[in-house]
C-alpha cells in the first residue's frame, strides 16, 4: 500500500477568521491566502500508517503494553504481581491479567487482540522455581529468571530491535 503522508493545503478561511489584510503594491487592501505544509500530515494519519504497517504487532519499544503477565490460577496470582512490580520498576510497560479466566483464553486474547510482544505464563511450577515462562510472538515458550528477562527486554528496547 502506498501512503501519502505529507500535505500542502491552501487555506482561504483562516485569513477571513482573523480578518487578515495586506496592502498590495498598487495601494489596495487584499486578503492573503495561507499555505499549510506538514511532513507527516496529521498525527492521526501517521498513527494509522504505523498501525497498518505493523498490523497492530508493534515492536517491543513501541508497544503500549510490552509484557502481559498471565497467572494460571489463583495460586500464582501473588507471584504474578511480584513479577509485574519488578518489571515496572525496571521501566517495562506491563499488565497483569489476574482475571478468573482459563489460561488458554488469556493467551489467545493477549496474542490476537492485545498483540503484546511478550506473555509471561506463571503457574505453580514457576512459583516454586522462582522463574518465569516467556512466550513471544513466535509462540515459543522459554524458561528464564526475571532478571534475565528484564535485561533481554531492556536491550531490545534500547536497540529498537
Amino acid at each position: 500500500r502506498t501512503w501519502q503522508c505529507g500535505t500542502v493545503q491552501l487555506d482561504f478561511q483562516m485569513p477571513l477568521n482573523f480578518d487578515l489584510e495586506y496592502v498590495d503594491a498598487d495601494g489596495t487592501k487584499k486578503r492573503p491566502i495561507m499555505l499549510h505544509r506538514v511532513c507527516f500530515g496529521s498525527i492521526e494519519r501517521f498513527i494509522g500508517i504505523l498501525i497498518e504497517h505493523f498490523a497492530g504487532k508493534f515492536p517491543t519499544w513501541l508497544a503500549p503494553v510490552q509484557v502481559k503477565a498471565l497467572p494460571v490460577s489463583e495460586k500464582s496470582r501473588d507471584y504474578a504481581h511480584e513479577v509485574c512490580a519488578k518489571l515496572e520498576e525496571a521501566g517495562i510497560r506491563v499488565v497483569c491479567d489476574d482475571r478468573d479466566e482459563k489460561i488458554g483464553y488469556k493467551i489467545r486474547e493477549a496474542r490476537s487482540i492485545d498483540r503484546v510482544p511478550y506473555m509471561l505464563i506463571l503457574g505453580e511450577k514457576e512459583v516454586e522455581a522462582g522463574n518465569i515462562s516467556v512466550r513471544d510472538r513466535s509462540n515459543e515458550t522459554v524458561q528464564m529468571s526475571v532478571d534475565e528477562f528484564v535485561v533481554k527486554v531492556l536491550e531490545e528496547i534500547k536497540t529498537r530491535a
Side-chain angles (χ1 to χ4, degrees):
R1 175 168 177 140
T2 305
W3 282 94
Q4 187 173 358
C5 292
T7 60
V8 178
Q9 299 173 337
L10 291 175
D11 189 340
F12 296 93
Q13 190 63 38
M14 290 299 270
L16 190 66
N17 290 346
F18 290 105
D19 195 25
L20 300 176
E21 293 179 335
Y22 69 95
V23 178
D24 199 4
D26 64 4
T28 61
K29 289 185 177 182
K30 296 193 176 177
R31 179 124 10 236
I33 298 170
M34 293 180 76
L35 182 66
H36 299 276
R37 181 184 64 85
V38 179
C39 297
F40 291 125
S42 67
I43 190 69
E44 295 87 359
R45 188 182 304 164
F46 184 67
I47 296 299
I49 291 167
L50 281 176
I51 292 169
E52 186 169 315
H53 175 74
F54 289 112
K57 296 177 183 176
F58 293 117
T60 306
W61 65 272
L62 186 59
V65 176
Q66 297 165 324
V67 178
K68 195 162 190 183
L70 309 173
V72 174
S73 68
E74 190 177 312
K75 295 175 185 175
S76 57
R77 200 174 283 164
D78 289 339
Y79 181 65
H81 286 286
E82 288 175 28
V83 170
C84 287
K86 286 182 183 178
L87 295 176
E88 284 177 352
E89 189 177 302
I92 297 170
R93 295 185 295 271
V94 61
V95 169
C96 185
D97 186 353
D98 59 1
R99 298 174 297 160
D100 287 326
E101 297 285 349
K102 293 182 180 178
I103 191 64
Y105 176 79
K106 290 181 186 182
I107 291 170
R108 279 190 307 279
E109 187 177 66
R111 181 179 52 231
S112 303
I113 296 171
D114 300 332
R115 297 182 180 235
V116 293
Y118 292 103
M119 292 177 267
L120 305 181
I121 290 84
L122 305 168
E124 289 181 54
K125 291 179 185 177
E126 287 77 16
V127 174
E128 289 172 14
N131 62 13
I132 55 177
S133 291
V134 180
R135 182 179 285 197
D136 61 13
R137 288 190 175 133
S138 68
N139 282 332
E140 283 188 40
T141 304
V142 179
Q143 301 284 327
M144 61 175 66
S145 73
V146 176
D147 294 334
E148 286 175 311
F149 181 69
V150 167
V151 168
K152 173 185 168 34
V153 172
L154 289 178
E155 181 63 24
E156 192 174 319
I157 292 167
K158 180 181 174 185
T159 61
R160 296 190 176 184

